[in-house]
Amino acid sequence: MKKTKKSLLTLLVLMLSGSVMIAQQQRIEFTEFDLTNGLHVILHEDHSTPIVSVSVMYHVGSKNEQPNRTGFAHFFEHLMFEGTKNIPRGEYAKFVEKAGGTLNANTSVDRTYYYEVLPSNQLEMGLWLESERMLHARVDSIGIATQKKVVIEEKKQSYDNRPYGSILIEVMKRAFKKHPYRWTTIGDPDHIRAAKDEEFQHFYDQFYVPNNAVLVIAGDIEIENARHLVEKYFGDIPSGKEEIFRPTVVEPPLNGEIRDTIFDNIQLPLVLHAYRTPAMGTEDFYALDMLSTLLSDGHSSRLYKALVDEQQIAMQVGSFPLPFRDPSVSITLALPNMGKDVAELEQAMIDEIEKVKNNLIDEREFQKLQNKFENDFINSNTRISTRANNLARYYTYFGNTNLINTELEKYMAVTREDIKRVAQKYFTKDNRVVLYYLPKSQRN
């Protein structure tokens, strides 16, 4: 039973969070340039293994959608595998798999990412595949109808029918009223059903263009040869003809606690606090990230020691900021032990946060925290595919690819006083959404 409970919390964390650990094993050397059509290109040469990662990050996520047509970015994550003008329907993935490679894609609120990892002698094929997707993706009635069914079913399986699957949906629609973060990447199935083929075509024409993308090639390559191949396959793709929609909405302060109860198909209750927080890349974000690690990372963390080990009021705890490009939320949650009251558990969570707000963490604990972040950075960027992702993300989000070499310094610049200050500033009653998840059997 204990293993099942741990697995449950692990699943929740994977559903709600993306890692912000960016590797810093050694200085990552790269070359970057722009094509005349606006495509930004980053090349990273590493001959340690005979593989190459070919990836394209498009600067479009769910926040670029319209309120009555949510889920488009995630829809295209699927549709872009349908095939192209020169690749038969259903054959796209087979090119990679037959060459001994892997491929995938993922969507967030801020960007969409496609990649292949291939034997390095298949670099040219990878570039051809991605250029085909950028220029000739099959956006037609057959593919659209097929993928409508797929994404609607995914919503049912991953959100509607999964215990606690609605957490992010329920949190974000309460934490945000104006900003497009108020909906999640999965979107509304009714919007997908109602959308016409020409709406999907317009979305593709607006966002899946070279001047809204970064191409990263990382691994066993020769820089000049890679540059030549990029020009060959991407140089003639025309720039997008219309202005790319970038939301500029500034969400007003929460100005008061929002509290609600969700009755779900679950057996174990859950208590959740979501605090409104600044955007990733800001000084306060780095301090809040370290604060979340202090609170819940591992058995020696503040919340785990107090709530699980000492008070035995919780079976598991978690705390993590959502690393979004605009101001976001930081989530803290706990699963109560059998027979423990959720209100009592919530107060215990608040008490531990108050300790951080009222007292500096001691030097030994702070040093341990710094060591963990440094160690994670050193050890987490060993894979070529991860480096490619990070290079693309730093450029897309910040226009500064070299943050892959320097962001660790921003974490190391955080002080004990900073951690106390951000706890006082953001982890307040008037700045949080509180949700109790209870079994449907407890509904009056």
Side-chain angles (χ1 to χ4, degrees):
M1 184 67 177
K2 185 174 182 181
K3 183 177 180 181
T4 301
K5 293 171 183 176
K6 286 187 177 181
S7 299
L8 177 61
L9 189 74
T10 300
L11 175 63
L12 285 171
V13 173
L14 289 173
M15 287 166 53
L16 297 179
S17 70
S19 174
V20 297
M21 293 298 106
I22 310 302
Q24 300 285 335
Q25 182 176 6
Q26 58 185 2
R27 180 170 180 82
I28 307 299
E29 301 293 342
F30 57 89
T31 299
E32 57 185 333
F33 57 94
D34 291 320
L35 299 185
T36 56
N37 58 15
L39 178 67
H40 191 73
V41 182
I42 302 171
L43 307 177
H44 168 59
E45 185 174 354
D46 183 332
H47 300 289
S48 58
T49 54
I51 62 171
V52 62
S53 172
V54 177
S55 62
V56 177
M57 183 173 285
Y58 292 94
H59 197 176
V60 55
S62 57
K63 77 176 181 186
N64 300 93
E65 300 162 350
Q66 297 302 314
N68 65 337
R69 286 295 184 265
T70 62
F72 269 44
H74 171 254
F75 183 88
F76 267 88
E77 177 194 323
H78 292 264
L79 189 67
M80 296 277 269
F81 287 95
E82 272 288 310
T84 75
K85 177 182 177 181
N86 299 305
I87 300 174
R89 192 181 308 279
E91 296 294 315
Y92 192 98
K94 293 180 181 179
F95 281 91
V96 176
E97 292 164 355
K98 288 178 179 178
T102 60
L103 74 168
N104 213 328
N106 53 72
T107 311
S108 79
V109 295
D110 298 307
R111 92 296 178 274
T112 309
Y113 188 62
Y114 301 87
Y115 66 92
E116 296 84 28
V117 179
L118 293 156
S120 52
N121 62 0
Q122 298 295 325
L123 168 60
E124 191 164 0
M125 184 187 71
L127 293 174
W128 172 68
L129 287 169
E130 287 298 343
S131 66
E132 275 290 306
R133 182 146 51 189
M134 185 179 290
L135 181 59
H136 295 307
R138 195 182 290 269
V139 186
D140 60 16
S141 58
I142 297 175
I144 290 171
T146 299
Q147 295 308 324
K148 278 187 176 185
K149 294 177 183 178
V150 170
V151 300
I152 290 170
E153 184 62 27
E154 182 180 343
K155 169 71 160 50
K156 292 178 182 177
Q157 292 183 2
S158 299
Y159 293 81
D160 301 340
N161 298 329
R162 174 179 287 178
Y164 315 100
S166 65
I167 280 181
L168 199 56
I169 295 172
E170 299 292 349
V171 166
M172 300 309 276
K173 71 182 183 182
R174 291 170 174 81
F176 296 92
K177 298 301 181 183
K178 296 183 179 296
H179 194 282
Y181 285 167
R182 67 184 185 271
W183 61 81
T184 57
T185 56
I186 195 65
D188 187 329
D190 289 338
H191 297 172
I192 297 297
R193 289 190 189 97
K196 298 178 180 179
D197 291 0
E198 53 265 33
E199 294 179 80
F200 290 110
Q201 183 67 56
H202 178 258
F203 196 84
Y204 175 73
D205 292 342
Q206 182 179 18
F207 293 109
Y208 294 86
V209 292
N211 47 306
N212 193 45
V214 54
L215 166 68
V216 180
I217 308 171
D220 185 25
I221 63 172
E222 300 291 342
I223 294 295
E224 287 307 313
N225 179 58
R227 183 191 289 263
H228 168 74
L229 292 175
V230 168
E231 290 281 359
K232 175 181 176 180
Y233 286 100
F234 291 88
D236 292 337
I237 300 177
S239 300
K241 294 181 173 61
E242 59 180 292
E243 183 178 355
I244 295 169
F245 171 64
R246 302 268 184 242
T248 58
V249 176
V250 177
E251 183 72 24
L254 203 59
N255 288 330
E257 181 184 74
I258 297 174
R259 180 176 287 268
D260 213 340
T261 301
I262 309 297
F263 293 96
D264 198 5
N265 290 318
I266 56 176
Q267 294 182 328
L268 301 172
L270 181 144
V271 179
L272 181 148
H273 287 176
Y275 296 92
R276 287 269 301 277
T277 54
M280 62 184 297
T282 61
E283 291 184 5
D284 282 2
F285 175 85
Y286 294 115
L288 283 163
D289 195 12
M290 296 187 82
L291 170 60
S292 293
T293 298
L294 172 76
L295 288 173
S296 72
D297 188 80
H299 289 188
S300 62
S301 63
R302 291 285 187 94
L303 288 174
Y304 194 95
K305 284 197 299 186
L307 277 58
V308 178
D309 286 345
E310 296 170 7
Q311 300 176 42
Q312 299 184 2
I313 194 173
M315 62 178 65
Q316 278 294 305
V317 295
S319 181
F320 42 89
L322 299 186
F324 295 169
R325 187 62 189 92
D326 293 340
S328 179
V329 295
S330 182
I331 292 175
T332 301
L333 54 81
L335 297 167
N337 258 328
M338 192 68 67
K340 297 297 183 179
D341 181 64
V342 288
E344 182 184 0
L345 174 60
E346 182 190 4
Q347 186 57 53
M349 294 165 61
I350 293 171
D351 291 344
E352 288 307 309
I353 290 172
E354 288 299 314
K355 292 177 183 178
V356 182
K357 293 165 69 173
N358 295 326
N359 304 283
L360 286 176
I361 65 174
D362 64 46
E363 290 281 5
R364 182 176 177 276
E365 192 174 25
F366 181 57
Q367 184 63 59
K368 179 182 176 182
L369 190 62
Q370 286 185 313
N371 291 344
K372 174 174 174 48
F373 272 80
E374 187 171 15
N375 186 65
D376 286 345
F377 270 71
I378 291 171
N379 292 302
S380 67
N381 206 22
T382 56
R383 297 176 63 186
I384 292 294
S385 58
T386 305
R387 281 183 229 164
N389 188 324
N390 293 334
L391 288 163
R393 187 168 63 91
Y394 281 124
Y395 176 80
T396 300
Y397 286 7
F398 307 111
N400 181 6
T401 313
N402 196 49
L403 278 172
I404 197 169
N405 292 312
T406 62
E407 194 183 35
L408 179 58
E409 298 169 9
K410 298 181 181 294
Y411 281 102
M412 294 300 101
V414 173
T415 65
R416 295 188 301 153
E417 289 77 12
D418 288 329
I419 293 173
K420 178 181 177 182
R421 175 181 57 78
V422 296
Q424 293 172 340
K425 183 176 181 179
Y426 299 103
F427 280 34
T428 66
K429 180 179 180 179
D430 289 342
N431 189 46
R432 75 184 176 210
V433 174
V434 180
L435 293 180
Y436 283 10
Y437 264 73
L438 299 178
K440 285 186 176 180
S441 60
Q442 294 187 20
R443 189 195 298 267
N444 292 331

